[in-house]
Amino acid sequence: MSVRDSGGSGRAKTASRAPVSFGAFARKPVERNATHAAAGQASAGIEPVESLPDDAVEVGAIVDAYGLKGWVKVAAHANAAQGGDALTSAKCWWLVKGREIKAAPVVAVKVHSDSIVAQLSGVGDRDQALALRGWRVQVRRSDFPSLGADEFYWVDLIGLEVVNEAGVTLGAVVDLIDNGAHAVLRIEYPSQGRDGQPATGERLIPFVGVYVKTVDQAAKRIVVDWEADY
């Protein structure tokens, strides 16, 4: 199995039987020559909308202008399934700032060093691009690039129940952590503090094949080789 963020795109991948190396979480977007035209949308311009799509996922933020012709520079999120591949594959971005939401058709987009640069419809000069600094970027989950059968985006693992092979519930995934070698599931579960009051416990389980046995997205469950008292 392997996990990807969507900037390296947050995939996760594990082997169901033999232990495997999942590889490092990719902080930088995959180097692809991803330039595309948003067919039928290029002339629409950026327009205010009332709401986000139901499957919208925040993947980055506009941090600066790029060049003189209206391109913007985007910092892709490097955590829990958000970032580059989704940014370069989506033909429309949703820009969010406070309560304002805008639909922004993408004319062209590409990877540039450790960021994403893009030309949005109707943004024709540097001043217009600078005016978009600080807007957060969301894309539809359905616009994320498709993955292999044994790959998962981090965003799809959040909320899944985690049980061990004995059927003991260990909690639910609330986040994933990149430790430089592989991803780690951060799991929370109901517990009790020293004062006897309800508290939240935490488990950290490496997302590697030796521990993670199956990921069943349909059943919203991850089965692990991990004891409750670890």
Side-chain angles (χ1 to χ4, degrees):
M1 258 169 239
S2 82
V3 188
R4 290 196 62 187
D5 77 65
S6 15
S9 238
R11 296 175 194 157
K13 191 175 184 179
T14 77
S16 56
R17 299 187 180 181
V20 296
S21 170
F22 284 58
F25 171 81
R27 288 190 177 279
K28 294 184 179 180
V30 176
E31 285 293 340
R32 303 192 312 181
N33 184 17
T35 300
H36 62 247
Q41 294 182 317
S43 62
I46 299 177
E47 299 286 347
V49 293
E50 292 184 359
S51 61
L52 291 164
D54 291 340
D55 62 344
V57 177
E58 185 174 326
V59 293
I62 297 175
V63 294
D64 207 350
Y66 174 75
L68 303 176
K69 297 183 178 180
W71 286 59
V72 296
K73 181 177 181 180
V74 179
H77 292 327
N79 60 1
Q82 302 169 10
D85 280 1
L87 282 163
T88 58
S89 65
K91 294 183 177 180
C92 185
W93 295 353
W94 276 264
L95 308 182
V96 179
K97 193 171 188 180
R99 295 184 178 181
E100 292 184 79
I101 304 171
K102 296 181 179 181
V106 179
V107 176
V109 59
K110 60 184 179 181
V111 175
H112 178 71
S113 186
D114 60 351
S115 61
I116 304 294
V117 295
Q119 183 179 27
L120 303 178
S121 180
V123 182
D125 59 42
R126 185 173 178 83
D127 288 341
Q128 290 176 319
L130 287 171
L132 294 175
R133 284 186 300 184
W135 287 76
R136 303 194 312 277
V137 181
Q138 301 201 19
V139 302
R140 300 191 65 154
R141 172 62 183 83
S142 57
D143 285 336
F144 280 33
S146 59
L147 301 177
D150 239 3
E151 293 185 312
F152 309 91
Y153 281 109
W154 284 23
V155 68
D156 296 332
L157 300 181
I158 303 299
L160 297 193
E161 179 187 39
V162 180
V163 302
N164 66 18
E165 294 178 298
V168 177
T169 299
L170 301 180
V173 179
V174 296
D175 196 6
L176 287 97
I177 302 167
D178 167 31
N179 72 1
H182 52 71
V184 177
L185 298 171
R186 187 166 74 84
I187 298 160
E188 290 186 352
Y189 60 94
S191 184
Q192 190 176 69
R194 293 182 179 180
D195 59 0
Q197 296 301 309
T200 298
E202 179 181 272
R203 292 185 172 96
L204 300 176
I205 301 179
F207 197 81
V208 295
V210 67
Y211 299 121
V212 178
K213 298 308 174 182
T214 61
V215 176
D216 188 338
Q217 289 181 269
K220 299 185 181 301
R221 174 175 292 189
I222 298 174
V223 177
V224 297
D225 180 7
W226 198 268
E227 296 301 322
D229 57 356
Y230 283 1

